[in-house]
Every structure is written in structure tokens, then in C-alpha cells.
Amino acid sequence: MSVVDFGGEGRPIVLLHGLMGRARTWWRVAQWLRRYGHVVGLDARGHGRGPRGGPWTTEQFVADAAEVVRSLGGPAVVIGHSMGGLHAWALAAAEPELVHAVVVEDMAPDQRGKTVETWRGYFESWPVPFQSLAHVRDFFGETGEYFTECVEERADGYHLIAELDDLYEIAAEWGRREYWSLVDGVKCPMLVVEAEHTLMPAGQQAETARRAQQGRHLVVPGAGHVVHDSQPEIYRGAVEAFLSEVLGR
């Protein structure tokens, strides 16, 4: 596994990024999380410096995350954005002894019927290679800073570190299956942070919090899909309040 150690001491806090991302997209969040424990970020399989090659299944991603938590001496607080949120609650359901609490950012359990073909056209319209990091920031706008962490420089410019064909396979699974049984299996405290301008099916994130045994739900006004970037202060306040409660701080 490829793990970025952001520092801190005490209970492990494991950060799981979204599709196309990598551990270092969490850098700003990690700075204030360190007061609550030992913060690490995982490069998911096929992303960043993580392992190449599948299988591209939720179960494999969960096994990878479980390996990291065990190496840290868990149980951990697991914080995930989008894809990472799915893997966070799936880990809590599959390996409850490894997870003390979960934060899920803008992810829903049932996206069956969605197809990667809609996204394929968008991804393949990108002006790759980007000519500079400024080009990346300008192209992606609100999420430009996030995407500067997701590209690498090659001889002809900047390219996404992850391979698009791998990403299509990962996302395709979400269009074929639902994950409500895993939500129902979460017994630890869980905070669900939903963007006002979410990309997820309506109502599912509130239902996720309701069905989890100790769930809370917050809709963040004005936030886009990457809530911790688009509304960082509200995100921070919600997560810090949650951590203060579940860690007795």
C-alpha cells in the first residue's frame, strides 16, 4: 500500500480519497485533523502511487484499507470522500473491530442504472496534456486545487496519474450494484456530509444516516461534490464537532 503520513499522535485517522484522487488531496484537512490523532492518507489501488492492477471491486479496496488500519494498530476513525466514503462504510460493516467512527462525504449507496458512458465523453474532452498547473486550475475552476494534486508532469505536460480505463471499471461497479446492506451493517458512529449541489441521487444520503445505527446527516449549503474544498470551514466545523463527541475530546 502507498500511505502518506501527515503526522499527529494517538488514534489512527485514515483518509480515503475519491475517484481520480490520491491521498495528498487531503493535505489541508490533515493539518487540522492532527490534533485528534495520527493522520494518514491511503492512495487507493490504481490511484496516486498505489498498486496497479485489480480486481476493481469494493471488496478489494476494503481489504486494502483494512491492511493499512491493522498496520496502524486500529481501530481508526475513517474519513472518506465519494468513492472513499463508500469504502469507509464498507470497511466499518465488514471489519467492525477496525473502525471507531466514519465520516462520509457526498456518496450514496445505490447508483444502479448509471453508466460510465456519460462520464467517458467528459473525461475524454479534457485538454490533455495540460500545459501547466495553472492550466489545470483554470480548467477545473472550483476544484482546480484538488486536481493539481491528481496530475503528474511528463515530457509533454501534465497527465492524470490514474488510468481512465481503470477508473471506468471502478465506477461501472457502482452502476450494477447497491450497498444498502453494508450501510445497515455500520454499528459505529457515522457522520454523512452531503453537498447542497450533490451529484448523488436525492434523499439517499439522509437515508444512509438514518439506517446506520448511530448516524448523523448534514447538508452543506453552497457546497459542490468536494465539500472539504468548496466549503472548508463548514466541513471542518462539522467534522471537528463529530470527532470531539466520538473521541471524548
Side-chain angles (χ1 to χ4, degrees):
M1 296 299 99
S2 176
V3 174
V4 177
D5 192 327
F6 292 108
E9 297 180 351
R11 182 178 296 279
I13 300 175
V14 177
L15 305 176
L16 305 179
H17 61 77
L19 191 71
M20 295 187 288
R22 62 186 302 203
R24 295 187 189 279
T25 60
W26 287 108
W27 185 84
R28 286 191 176 91
V29 172
Q31 304 315 296
W32 52 262
L33 276 176
R34 288 184 299 187
R35 65 178 293 200
Y36 296 95
H38 178 199
V39 184
V40 302
L42 171 64
D43 278 346
R45 183 173 297 267
H47 295 72
R49 304 304 173 198
R52 265 28 193 184
W56 306 114
T57 63
T58 299
E59 287 73 17
Q60 181 62 63
F61 288 109
V62 168
D64 292 343
E67 179 181 332
V68 171
V69 175
R70 287 193 184 96
S71 75
L72 296 168
V77 173
V78 185
I79 299 176
H81 167 243
S82 194
M83 175 185 78
L86 165 61
H87 299 161
W89 84 59
L91 175 61
E95 306 275 4
E97 74 284 358
L98 295 181
V99 183
H100 182 75
V102 171
V103 177
V104 176
E105 179 185 345
D106 216 47
M107 187 60 175
D110 189 354
Q111 300 185 64
R112 286 176 296 174
K114 283 192 174 182
T115 170
V116 298
E117 294 308 313
T118 301
W119 292 101
R120 189 187 300 270
Y122 169 61
F123 293 156
E124 294 179 358
S125 73
W126 293 358
V128 176
F130 294 96
Q131 297 307 299
S132 70
L133 292 177
H135 188 192
V136 175
R137 292 187 188 96
D138 288 350
F139 181 79
F140 289 105
E142 181 183 274
T143 54
E145 288 296 330
Y146 178 91
F147 276 101
T148 61
E149 298 285 359
C150 304
V151 296
E152 63 182 356
E153 186 176 14
R154 302 176 190 169
D156 59 347
Y158 289 85
H159 295 254
L160 191 67
I161 298 174
E163 296 295 333
L164 287 178
D165 285 344
D166 296 341
L167 303 184
Y168 297 146
E169 285 198 46
I170 294 166
E173 183 191 57
W174 308 338
R176 296 191 300 266
R177 60 184 291 195
E178 52 85 18
Y179 299 92
W180 286 115
S181 63
L182 295 178
V183 171
D184 293 339
V186 177
K187 307 305 182 187
C188 65
M190 181 163 71
L191 171 65
V192 179
V193 180
E194 179 176 356
E196 179 184 7
H197 306 298
T198 184
L199 303 175
M200 299 297 131
Q204 287 197 22
Q205 296 187 68
E207 179 69 5
T208 295
R210 189 189 69 78
R211 288 173 63 158
Q213 197 169 88
Q214 301 179 62
R216 296 99 158 142
H217 174 238
L218 172 69
V219 177
V220 178
H225 181 54
V226 188
V227 181
H228 64 268
D229 267 5
S230 60
Q231 292 290 348
E233 294 305 317
I234 299 175
Y235 177 85
R236 176 176 178 174
V239 173
E240 287 200 297
F242 177 70
L243 293 180
S244 295
E245 178 185 347
V246 300
L247 299 179
R249 298 289 292 272

